[in-house]
Amino acid sequence: MVFNTPIFFVFFVTFLLFYGFVFLQKKPRVYFILVSSLVFYGAWNYKFIPLLVGSAVADYFIALAIGGTDDQRRKKLLLTLSISINLGILGLFKYADFVLSSVADFLGLLGYQASMPTLEWVLPVGISFYTFQSMSYTIDVYRGVMTPRKGLIAFTTALAFFPQLVAGPILRARQILPQFHDIPTPTWDAAKRGFLLITSGLLKKTAADLLAAPVATAFDASTAVSTLETWIGVLAFAGQIYGDFAGYSDMAIGIALLIGFQIPLNFRLPYIASSPIDFWRRWHISLSTWLRDYLYISMGGNRTGHRLRNIFVTMLLGGLWHGAAWTFVAWGFFHGVIITATHALREIDWLKPFHGSSSRWIKLLKWAMTFYLVLLGWILFRATSLQSAWDIFVNMHVWSNTPHTNPSAWIIAGLTISTLVWMHLMDAVILHKREAIEKRPWLLWPLLILGQTLCLFIGEPSNEFIYFQF
Amino acid sequence: MSSSTSSSRGIYLKILTAITLGMGASVGIIRLITYANDVSGDTILGRVYEARDALPQITAEENPVVMFFGSSMVEAGFSPRQFDRQAAEHAATVKSFNFGFGGLNPLYQDYLSRRIEDAFNEKNRRLKLAMIEFNPFQATVTRRQRALPDEDAFITMLADDKEIWEWVWRDPERGIRMLNIRYIRDNISAEMITHHFGGDLRAPMERISGRDDEEVVKRRDELGQKLVDGVREDYPDYPNAAWYYPWQGGGTIPEERSPEMVAMYHDYYATLRTEYRMKSDRLRRVQTADILQLNFDEELIEAFIRIVKNFQRFSDQVAVIMLPRNTAWIQYPPEARARLDDAVARIERETGLEIYDFQDLDAVTPEMFSDTTHLARYSGDVAFTQHLVETFAEDLKP
């Protein structure tokens, strides 16, 4: 059940009817959200509901136990248990086959023909999101950042909360849990913001689905692809992944707002970033801050004299979080390299004026370099293998043409670039002019209806959200 | 009731009202656009709907009813009025109908066959003979993939309410999508609109280089216009219907035309069968239906088996038929032949029927085709229909 489908519309309207008019007290509302969230999750595969609930139950009691003891050794042991459970679930379902097949490949390289059995288990939707979210709770309690709160149902509901369950944003317990202990009531202003974000998300998702075709031309073609179409494909993927994921996040935030819940922004105009570091402050903010707070800082952060190593390892594991494939490892590695390189370059004295320059041309140059590097990263992210990624990289940089080049390629290039610009313009308006729009009903409602109409007018079959697979 | 509860209810009432009005306005605009562009189920499935609407009249026919159900190859290759005339010569009085439709695949035909069954059951009537075409080109993975954007909309257009609700229980996501397409979107899905308008942006398919001789093109255009004018003159009452009841869903027959006009048809088809056109046509069908390799889609084969079973429930006799193949242009490599043999064996096993394989019929030669797959009017359809009469006349006798 995805947000841009009629079944979700039916689900959500039914949910609102019961939530707004039948379950009016705090406790029944929490129970109702939990049941609805499990129905939402079970629509994919109900067999994984026990895994989700089990993860919540385990971390709830572990957090209580951590909070209930002053013994540091015992606290550490309990935290290790929580991390082991969460990473164990993740490892078993997401990474086991990748490790086994990689070992077999490695032995093959050494000349041993090893046939490794693989589990071939279905990957539970949203597993990477809810395990990280759940783990952050026990870590926060361990660090004393928050005290454990009683209420297993509230905790499980916070973890399973349907708007953000399957593709984030990855919420911290301290952001979401209090809202389930003191159920919020939406204001009309928040609801208007919610409508605006839902429409913006739907438009982005619709654009992302349309961009899937030029992406496939560049990445999935069985014959040679021209340089122009390769560039279009890579640019289109930048738009597709942004529209898909940011679109989902916008809808998640908007849907939560309609019932009064606050979820923080997950994207902030990522493609205007002026450096790789800046990019990660704008892209998938809930993951990058999670990795910073729970991995980078745990490794010592800036303090140990191994800052660059810590950043590099964080990015490498961040890449692996996205998927069990060497292309994702390479993507994380690549971002680790460009971020550490950026930090290293900032330390070079004669380059310092360049970094601090307010010249428009230097800013433009920094943006162009960053965007180019991000595009190169997306090749690794989307390619089906490292070899394919290399071929696409070469295709981008060594001019070639083919007899099969689409005569409309320049039009598609124009549309792809316009889509990227338009998505950012829309986000910029929502970020900076949202209140002005919300105050003008004559502008807000026609804009919303126009947006909805566009989304209902255009559609591509079976393009699920890309981040569901992570 | 506390004031906070009532204010909370007020907010949710406002939210739900905004959703209802907003969606209502958006859907209204969409319907206005499709209406203004004359896009509807009627315009998309014109011939199918016209045939379906004729079913009450067909089931009221006095004589035993014969139906040939299949693709555009049946539409072009079966002449029902000729069939009836020649069957009468064999002392078999029947009324036959051409239910061949282009652009469908067995998934959609399954629903159409159920509508036919409904109509016959309603009148407590049985088909004397149901001839069902098994067209391998309609059942390939490529054919299915190319129609995917339109699949739910087509099913919605042909299914009845009960079947759509069955979808809702079986696959709620798809079922509710179909309910939305039928009741909110007037049968036109967003995918269908995008597929239609996005056509110009898709990469063009590989093409055969070259072109037809200009003299041939000129001659073809002239003959084409004369044939159109000839139909207008010979059939002034013809309402330009896609499925015309007096013609029983088929086309015109040579007995009604002058020998000059029939000769003109033969000339016209000869101008269509140039090497360039035939090569282009074959390549296009390879790209759109995988007609040489025949990689079958399991679901389409299963749907075809359901079609046969649907007809078996209300027909005295069911015959599954493979239409003549243009052997000059369509030759299967051994692996495709093996796949076809497997599919045929499966259909025979699951339906209990032996397929009439007329693919290599001697009576039909490559000169009797208008392209690489369709039989030509007044030659191919005549020869094939005659062969059908010879095959089934004995069974049709009272």
Side-chain angles (χ1 to χ4, degrees):
Chain A
M1 202 191 302
V2 291
F3 292 158
N4 60 337
T5 55
I7 193 172
F8 180 77
F9 182 79
V10 172
F11 166 85
F12 188 59
V13 168
T14 312
F15 172 86
L16 277 179
L17 280 169
F18 280 90
Y19 190 78
F21 300 96
V22 179
F23 301 109
L24 300 175
Q25 302 305 315
K26 193 185 91 179
K27 258 192 176 176
R29 276 193 165 171
V30 174
Y31 279 96
F32 183 61
I33 293 176
L34 178 60
V35 171
S36 303
S37 298
L38 295 181
V39 168
F40 175 84
Y41 191 68
W44 273 288
N45 197 332
Y46 63 90
K47 289 175 189 160
F48 291 123
I49 290 176
L51 198 68
L52 167 69
V53 175
S55 181
V57 171
D59 281 328
Y60 173 78
F61 285 110
I62 290 171
L64 275 184
I66 292 172
T69 179
D70 292 327
D71 181 349
Q72 276 305 314
R73 210 171 139 263
R74 187 174 155 76
K75 275 182 188 240
K76 207 167 197 169
L77 212 64
L78 286 163
L79 178 67
T80 309
L81 178 66
S82 164
I83 292 173
S84 305
I85 290 171
N86 284 296
L87 293 185
I89 292 171
L90 209 50
L92 203 60
F93 282 93
K94 191 166 176 176
Y95 298 106
D97 282 354
F98 171 61
V99 172
L100 289 169
S101 60
S102 297
V103 168
D105 289 346
F106 181 68
L107 290 174
L109 283 177
L110 298 178
Y112 301 101
Q113 288 309 314
S115 163
M116 287 280 182
T118 49
L119 301 175
E120 289 176 11
W121 286 358
V122 175
L123 182 68
V125 172
I127 189 168
S128 305
F129 293 90
Y130 72 72
T131 48
F132 267 41
Q133 193 161 314
S134 191
M135 214 159 35
S136 75
Y137 177 55
T138 49
I139 299 173
D140 278 354
V141 172
Y142 171 80
R143 287 177 176 172
V145 176
M146 71 180 293
T147 49
R149 294 189 76 149
K150 286 206 171 169
L152 175 61
I153 297 296
F155 179 72
T156 310
T157 312
L159 194 68
F161 187 39
F162 70 86
Q164 51 82 59
L165 171 60
V166 290
I170 303 167
L171 299 175
R172 311 294 171 79
R174 59 178 181 269
Q175 287 169 327
I176 191 76
L177 195 53
Q179 299 186 60
F180 283 93
H181 284 276
D182 188 13
I183 292 281
T185 301
T187 61
W188 183 234
D189 282 344
K192 283 194 281 188
R193 201 176 321 141
F195 283 130
L196 205 57
L197 283 167
I198 291 169
T199 307
S200 144
L202 281 170
L203 280 169
K204 278 189 211 147
K205 173 62 182 155
T206 304
D209 288 349
L210 292 177
L211 290 170
V215 171
T217 303
F219 285 89
D220 304 330
S222 53
T223 52
V225 180
S226 67
T227 299
L228 174 62
E229 285 182 304
T230 308
W231 270 97
I232 294 170
V234 176
L235 277 167
F237 185 66
Q240 188 194 7
I241 189 85
Y242 178 60
D244 189 275
F245 192 20
Y248 187 89
S249 291
D250 283 357
M251 285 186 260
I253 297 165
I255 287 163
L257 276 171
L258 288 190
I259 49 173
F261 286 81
Q262 303 279 341
I263 295 178
L265 274 185
N266 210 16
F267 291 87
R268 196 180 290 274
L269 308 172
Y271 293 143
I272 65 160
S274 58
S275 72
I277 299 164
D278 189 27
F279 175 76
W280 280 101
R281 286 185 186 132
R282 296 166 177 275
W283 179 270
H284 201 174
I285 298 166
S286 64
L287 175 70
S288 54
T289 51
W290 196 102
L291 291 171
R292 181 197 65 201
D293 293 349
Y294 299 108
L295 189 61
Y296 177 70
I297 289 176
S298 299
M299 286 192 296
N302 298 340
R303 288 167 297 150
T304 56
H306 294 291
R307 183 178 172 216
L308 295 185
R309 183 207 65 183
N310 294 344
I311 291 171
F312 188 78
V313 172
T314 303
M315 293 314 297
L316 196 66
L317 292 174
L320 197 58
W321 176 89
H322 283 83
W326 286 108
T327 46
F328 290 114
V329 176
W331 180 70
F333 178 86
F334 175 76
H335 274 278
V337 169
I338 59 176
I339 289 174
T340 49
T342 309
H343 278 293
L345 289 171
R346 281 183 179 176
E347 302 303 318
I348 297 172
D349 285 340
W350 60 271
L351 277 176
K352 278 183 180 163
F354 176 76
H355 293 301
S357 171
S358 57
S359 154
R360 195 182 299 168
W361 292 108
I362 296 215
K363 280 183 178 171
L364 189 68
L365 181 66
K366 286 201 288 191
W367 167 79
M369 284 164 63
T370 305
F371 188 60
Y372 171 72
L373 290 170
V374 169
L375 284 183
L376 293 188
W378 289 139
I379 299 174
L380 290 163
F381 196 93
R382 174 59 173 79
T384 46
S385 67
L386 291 175
Q387 179 61 48
S388 163
W390 173 250
D391 292 343
I392 290 164
F393 175 80
V394 171
N395 235 6
M396 274 174 85
H397 297 91
V398 180
W399 179 258
S400 70
N401 205 354
T402 72
H404 317 299
T405 302
N406 190 339
S408 310
W410 284 107
I411 299 173
I412 297 171
L415 288 172
T416 302
I417 293 166
S418 321
T419 306
L420 271 167
V421 173
W422 158 76
M423 283 197 281
H424 271 57
L425 278 177
M426 185 170 68
D427 282 356
V429 167
I430 289 175
L431 270 175
H432 303 298
K433 303 280 178 198
R434 193 193 64 224
E435 284 183 10
I437 296 172
E438 285 167 11
K439 278 181 192 157
R440 293 171 174 79
W442 55 268
L443 180 63
L444 175 71
W445 297 108
L447 270 180
L448 292 177
I449 289 169
L450 185 69
Q452 286 290 343
T453 306
L454 267 173
C455 297
L456 290 176
F457 196 70
I458 300 164
E460 282 288 303
S462 305
N463 274 319
E464 284 229 330
F465 288 91
I466 296 171
Y467 262 71
F468 282 13
Q469 62 191 291
F470 306 140
Chain B
M1 191 194 301
S2 73
S3 65
S4 74
T5 303
S6 70
S7 75
S8 150
R9 277 183 175 167
I11 281 287
Y12 288 112
L13 191 64
K14 252 177 141 174
I15 290 171
L16 282 165
T17 309
I19 291 173
T20 311
L21 292 179
M23 289 301 276
S26 296
V27 169
I29 294 169
I30 300 279
R31 289 188 72 151
L32 207 64
I33 294 170
T34 50
Y35 179 76
N37 286 284
D38 196 23
V39 180
S40 67
D42 288 339
T43 50
I44 293 165
L45 287 178
R47 180 175 157 85
V48 177
Y49 275 9
E50 285 171 25
R52 189 193 60 185
D53 294 345
L55 283 167
Q57 203 177 340
I58 292 171
T59 52
E61 280 290 341
E62 198 180 321
N63 292 326
V65 174
V66 170
M67 187 178 279
F68 202 158
F69 183 85
S71 69
S72 60
M73 281 166 60
V74 168
E75 183 183 348
F78 174 62
S79 177
R81 286 187 291 157
Q82 183 198 330
F83 185 89
D84 294 356
R85 285 176 187 212
Q86 292 180 340
E89 289 167 13
H90 289 78
T93 308
V94 293
K95 185 95 169 180
S96 62
F97 293 93
N98 185 324
F99 265 58
F101 307 100
L104 300 187
N105 69 32
L107 276 180
Y108 315 144
Q109 288 174 320
D110 176 22
Y111 288 95
L112 179 59
S113 66
R114 294 186 217 177
R115 300 294 74 80
I116 298 168
E117 184 185 5
D118 291 344
F120 274 79
N121 286 344
E122 198 178 313
K123 293 272 176 67
N124 203 20
R125 184 89 198 253
R126 288 181 72 78
L127 262 177
K128 179 78 177 168
L129 169 66
M131 293 181 283
I132 304 167
E133 177 204 19
F134 172 59
N135 183 340
F137 314 151
Q138 271 193 312
T140 59
V141 173
T142 307
R143 174 92 174 196
R144 171 96 187 269
Q145 288 301 318
R146 290 189 63 85
L148 218 50
D150 301 336
E151 190 163 296
D152 283 353
F154 268 71
I155 291 174
T156 307
M157 283 190 257
L158 293 167
D160 66 13
D161 288 351
K162 192 169 154 258
E163 285 156 352
I164 292 186
W165 279 104
E166 278 167 9
W167 268 106
V168 174
W169 302 128
R170 198 186 330 151
D171 181 347
E173 185 142 359
R174 263 188 102 175
I176 289 177
R177 223 175 92 75
M178 288 178 194
L179 283 177
N180 169 48
I181 294 171
R182 164 165 287 188
Y183 295 108
I184 311 272
R185 305 187 58 106
D186 195 21
N187 291 327
I188 308 299
S189 67
E191 289 77 7
M192 207 175 216
I193 297 171
T194 309
H195 195 222
H196 178 73
F197 287 112
D200 290 343
L201 292 177
R202 276 193 288 275
M205 289 187 284
E206 190 190 340
R207 296 170 70 172
I208 298 290
S209 57
R211 53 175 21 173
D212 271 340
D213 183 77
E214 278 185 23
E215 280 301 309
V216 174
V217 175
K218 199 176 158 203
R219 174 96 180 119
R220 184 161 62 219
D221 291 347
E222 281 170 8
L223 286 169
Q225 191 53 52
K226 281 182 184 169
L227 296 183
V228 171
D229 294 342
V231 170
R232 281 199 197 115
E233 280 168 28
D234 291 351
Y235 304 94
D237 297 332
Y238 173 57
N240 208 19
W243 195 97
Y244 188 40
Y245 202 96
W247 295 351
Q248 295 157 226
T252 54
I253 52 175
E255 287 82 351
E256 294 170 350
R257 316 300 298 271
S258 67
E260 294 77 24
M261 188 58 76
V262 171
M264 211 184 292
Y265 268 87
H266 296 327
D267 289 348
Y268 174 71
Y269 287 122
T271 66
L272 289 179
R273 287 190 301 266
T274 62
E275 191 176 356
Y276 167 71
R277 274 186 69 98
M278 294 300 266
K279 276 186 176 170
S280 298
D281 184 64
R282 182 173 60 182
L283 179 62
R284 188 171 65 83
R285 291 180 197 283
V286 165
Q287 290 161 335
T288 57
D290 190 23
I291 64 167
L292 296 182
Q293 287 301 320
L294 298 179
N295 291 289
F296 290 109
D297 182 292
E298 276 297 301
E299 277 188 60
L300 293 184
I301 297 287
E302 282 164 18
F304 181 78
I305 291 165
R306 284 200 301 276
I307 294 168
V308 177
K309 288 181 176 172
N310 293 341
F311 273 101
Q312 282 176 322
R313 285 195 294 271
F314 68 100
S315 306
D316 292 341
Q317 188 186 348
V318 173
V320 179
I321 294 168
M322 290 172 78
L323 264 72
R325 174 172 60 115
N326 189 338
T327 49
W329 292 94
I330 312 275
Q331 289 114 17
Y332 304 127
E335 63 276 15
R337 185 79 243 180
R339 282 192 280 270
L340 179 59
D341 290 345
D342 284 349
V344 165
R346 182 177 170 196
I347 293 165
E348 289 184 335
R349 193 171 58 247
E350 294 192 29
T351 60
L353 297 172
E354 193 175 329
I355 291 183
Y356 291 87
D357 185 352
F358 296 143
Q359 284 191 102
D360 300 316
L361 204 62
D362 290 335
V364 176
T365 61
E367 292 73 36
M368 293 179 176
F369 284 82
S370 62
D371 55 28
T372 55
T373 54
H374 295 91
L375 290 166
R377 193 171 300 282
Y378 302 161
S379 59
D381 63 340
V382 170
F384 178 57
T385 304
Q386 188 174 340
H387 186 77
L388 289 175
V389 174
E390 286 162 8
T391 308
F392 296 108
E394 278 303 309
D395 302 328
L396 295 174
K397 283 181 183 169

